[in-house]
Amino acid sequence: MEKLNSRTVSTDVLVIGAGGAGIRAAIEAHNLGAKVLVVSKGDYPAGCITAIAMGAITAAIDSRDSRDTHYEDTLRGGHHLNNPKLVRLLADLGPERALDVERYGTQFDKMDGKFDYFSYPGHALPRAILAGDRYRGGFFRGIVREAARLGIEVIEHVMVVDLLREGGAVCGALALEIDKGSLLVLQAKAVIIATGGAGYLFSLTTNLPGITGDGCALAYEAGARLSDMEFVQMRACMIHPAPMRGTAPPADGGVTIGGRFYNGLCERYMKKYHPEKAEQVTRAEVARCTQKEILEGRSSPHGGVYGDFSGVPREQLAKFKAFMQSCAAANFDPAWQPYEWAPGAHYFMGGIVINERCETGVPGLYAAGEAQSGTMGANRLPGNALTETQVFGAIAGAQAAERARSATAPVPAPQTIAGSVGKVDALWNRDRGVDYREVRREISESLSRYAGVIRTEEGLRKAIGLMDEVGEKRIGSLCVAEARSFRELAGLFETMNIFAVGRLILQAALLRTESRGAHNREDYPETSEAWRKNILFQRREGKAVVVTRSPDEA
């Protein structure tokens, strides 16, 4: 059996994920005196969701706004399934963290020297500040610049496949160096998971290909709890013109500045469901209504609905430079030509359970950003995602640095490292089995069909049956079917993560016999007060233990 080459790197704080939460955590930990290493599965800085985000961060900075109002809006938007302690932190610390981003060098839209606030549905008043150069890293640019100024080390194309533990505490990780074809043993006194969500579990998504729930799977395997797994936010996702498939139309289709939605019969269908607000409701509600139009046969030619920017002033549309350039490359002018879209996976409200210190309950392990759960509840308001990355990234970095100063942090034992390396060696040397790509495709198609916008018990049970068959007969036999490479091996590990996370999404969706936020059960269309509680999963002795609790008990 071929033994893989490996090298060892030691640090105080290891950050897994180089997006907004991860880099903000690294900045904070560095500023508190910790040695920090960040690893990124994709390119840095272009390979994360933050780098392609619109760049809107919501914070109660305007004198007409208040942190209490932001707090209440977020709870209401989350259908009161949020952890109120985390929402309080989001609202209270959001302004300070947003100003940090500007101080780092990000340029936000201003008029006469003051922030030009943008309005989003679900917020009581305009409170989003928009970075320039939208969708091309405008928001991320200042954070990246500050990390570079501080000399924070970031290693690209590194996929963490296992968390190393001693005495129940996380003390490092094992990773694939994808480009080098070798293993990387990472020793750390504290580890922060900031790997983003799980949008690429679904066939249609605004997410990048690497967003496969890795952080949730790692933390779950290490003993952390996961919650709210049933809540996957779907939003407008372009399906035509074909070159722009997967693109999120800016500002949710520009619905607060003149954008409109029409079905295949050219009816402005949102007025049927919400006569007063029409398109200006939450993303979850837009997705639900849109999916009903599609399922009931009123779709556009490519199986979606129409989005119309013709009512948006040209000067407003021109501000979305990257979007307009992509449209021009596709020989498409959104100022007068409609596009087609359908609900696609966008943001994952579920994830790793944390407390106000971003602790996961597993000593030495922290989580921040979209990988965490609790802040958004059953549905996320637009603009709150980037606020979450900065608020909780900073908290996680501070707490991890404090732990790194402790003399009690363990070091991974040689036998622990050898056991983890042995598992990767075995997969690398497996010369026959099931093609991981085939299994990945089946899981994605099943989740998209049965756990998308509208769900039923029958569909969920079908999907769970498929998952159980995969788990019993194929997941343990996955192999790289063609030429072996570490990139293919990384794809195999992603498939195992997709399986683990997807199975929990389905189980949670089946258990929640109501409709709330982004979770729509056609067979249980009403919201039930009895279900104002979170579903939590924890792996114990190889089995999933499921409990429920009120958000107020968090």
Side-chain angles (χ1 to χ4, degrees):
M1 185 171 78
E2 179 187 354
K3 295 289 185 181
L4 294 168
N5 294 325
S6 67
R7 67 186 181 102
T8 301
V9 175
S10 297
T11 189
D12 291 336
V13 175
L14 170 65
V15 181
I16 306 172
I23 297 302
R24 185 61 182 84
I27 290 170
E28 196 72 16
H30 176 278
N31 288 341
L32 291 172
K35 180 183 178 183
V36 183
L37 173 64
V38 182
V39 294
S40 173
K41 186 169 72 169
D43 298 336
Y44 175 76
C48 67
I49 291 298
T50 312
I52 63 167
M54 179 179 169
I57 180 169
T58 48
I61 298 173
D62 188 20
S63 59
R64 294 167 295 180
D65 202 354
S66 77
R67 299 174 194 206
D68 286 345
T69 303
H70 190 187
Y71 171 80
E72 294 295 340
D73 287 348
T74 301
L75 287 175
R76 189 181 308 108
H79 294 256
H80 297 279
L81 214 62
N82 332 53
N83 177 341
K85 297 174 185 175
L86 300 185
V87 179
R88 190 78 259 176
L89 289 170
L90 181 88
D92 286 354
L93 300 180
E96 185 177 351
R97 297 289 81 85
L99 295 175
D100 281 347
V101 175
E102 183 182 40
R103 180 167 54 84
Y104 296 154
T106 292
Q107 295 183 347
F108 291 103
D109 287 357
K110 291 188 174 183
M111 291 185 64
D112 300 324
K114 296 182 178 180
F115 289 121
D116 184 15
Y117 296 101
F118 189 84
S119 176
Y120 271 129
H123 293 275
L125 71 171
R127 65 165 59 97
I129 57 175
L130 272 61
D133 211 6
R134 318 199 210 300
Y135 299 104
R136 292 192 301 191
F139 175 84
F140 204 26
R141 196 160 296 142
I143 305 167
V144 170
R145 182 182 303 171
E146 179 67 5
R149 186 186 72 82
L150 296 173
I152 292 170
E153 184 179 5
V154 181
I155 307 178
E156 296 178 299
H157 309 148
V158 170
M159 180 181 181
V160 171
V161 296
D162 194 18
L163 295 176
L164 303 176
R165 287 171 288 161
E166 291 296 339
V170 170
C171 53
L174 181 69
L176 309 178
E177 291 196 275
I178 295 171
D179 293 341
K180 296 180 179 179
S182 61
L183 299 178
L184 184 59
V185 179
L186 299 159
Q187 297 183 351
K189 299 175 182 177
V191 175
I192 300 171
I193 291 179
T195 51
Y200 230 75
L201 272 68
F202 294 82
S203 301
L204 181 64
T205 177
T206 63
N207 286 192
L208 294 167
I211 310 301
T212 49
D214 301 347
C216 289
L218 287 168
Y220 185 63
E221 185 67 26
R225 294 174 300 169
L226 305 182
S227 75
D228 301 334
M229 302 298 284
E230 64 271 40
F231 297 110
V232 182
Q233 185 178 72
M234 305 282 177
R235 66 154 290 175
C237 186
M238 292 177 69
I239 56 175
H240 193 76
M244 300 190 71
R245 181 181 175 86
T247 300
D252 291 310
V255 296
T256 62
I257 51 176
R260 302 289 182 262
F261 299 147
Y262 297 89
N263 63 19
L265 303 178
C266 295
E267 299 169 332
R268 193 175 165 195
Y269 63 92
M270 287 303 298
K271 291 185 74 67
K272 175 172 61 178
Y273 299 99
H274 297 278
E276 299 299 323
K277 292 186 175 181
E279 296 86 0
Q280 296 192 46
V281 292
T282 65
R283 285 173 173 169
E285 183 60 8
V286 168
R288 185 188 70 83
C289 298
T290 300
Q291 192 66 24
K292 283 184 66 67
E293 293 295 302
I294 294 170
L295 291 175
E296 292 174 6
R298 295 182 291 277
S299 64
S300 59
H302 293 88
V305 294
Y306 292 110
D308 174 26
F309 277 118
S310 65
V312 177
R314 280 188 174 269
E315 61 273 17
Q316 287 272 19
L317 202 55
K319 291 181 179 180
F320 304 107
K321 295 178 183 177
F323 174 73
M324 295 301 287
Q325 288 173 358
S326 296
C327 290
N331 196 29
F332 165 67
D333 185 357
W336 65 274
Q337 291 177 292
Y339 58 91
E340 293 181 56
W341 69 270
H346 182 61
Y347 181 91
F348 194 42
M349 276 75 73
I352 305 164
V353 176
I354 63 168
N355 62 16
E356 304 96 290
R357 296 175 295 281
C358 291
E359 296 166 333
T360 64
V362 179
L365 185 64
Y366 303 82
E370 194 175 349
Q372 73 185 68
S373 67
T375 316
M376 304 305 176
N379 185 50
R380 175 181 70 86
L381 292 185
N384 271 351
L386 294 183
T387 316
E388 180 182 57
T389 67
Q390 299 308 290
V391 168
F392 294 97
I395 293 172
Q399 295 299 319
E402 181 178 337
R403 177 176 174 83
R405 289 193 290 267
S406 168
T408 60
V411 175
Q415 59 268 33
T416 300
I417 296 172
S420 187
V421 169
K423 294 174 186 177
V424 181
D425 281 342
L427 285 172
W428 176 250
N429 286 282
R430 185 178 289 162
D431 58 2
R432 65 185 63 185
V434 179
D435 186 344
Y436 78 88
R437 288 168 297 187
E438 176 186 329
V439 172
R440 180 170 178 161
R441 184 169 54 252
E442 285 185 24
I443 293 173
S444 179
E445 289 175 355
S446 181
L447 284 169
S448 300
R449 181 174 181 181
Y450 298 117
V453 178
I454 297 177
R455 303 159 172 178
T456 65
E457 179 177 350
E458 180 184 7
L460 291 168
R461 289 196 182 278
K462 283 183 181 179
I464 288 173
L466 170 68
M467 283 291 207
D468 289 345
E469 180 186 350
V470 167
E472 292 169 8
K473 300 180 180 179
R474 291 188 283 170
I475 202 71
S477 302
L478 296 182
C479 72
V480 176
E482 297 184 356
R484 286 189 307 171
S485 72
F486 261 45
R487 191 160 298 280
E488 292 293 312
L489 185 59
L492 190 155
F493 274 103
E494 284 183 339
T495 301
M496 292 193 293
N497 293 340
I498 286 171
F499 168 75
V501 174
R503 181 61 175 78
L504 295 180
I505 290 173
L506 291 168
Q507 186 175 351
L510 181 63
L511 287 172
R512 184 171 291 278
T513 51
E514 66 157 357
S515 292
R516 184 187 296 264
H519 172 70
N520 295 293
R521 285 285 298 266
E522 193 171 44
D523 43 355
Y524 292 95
E526 302 300 322
T527 299
S528 168
E529 181 58 27
W531 267 111
R532 199 182 79 81
K533 52 189 177 182
N534 308 102
I535 300 172
L536 282 69
F537 295 93
Q538 188 172 29
R539 187 175 177 84
R540 295 179 190 166
E541 299 178 355
K543 296 183 179 180
V545 177
V546 187
V547 299
T548 60
R549 74 174 184 193
S550 164
D552 300 323
E553 296 171 357

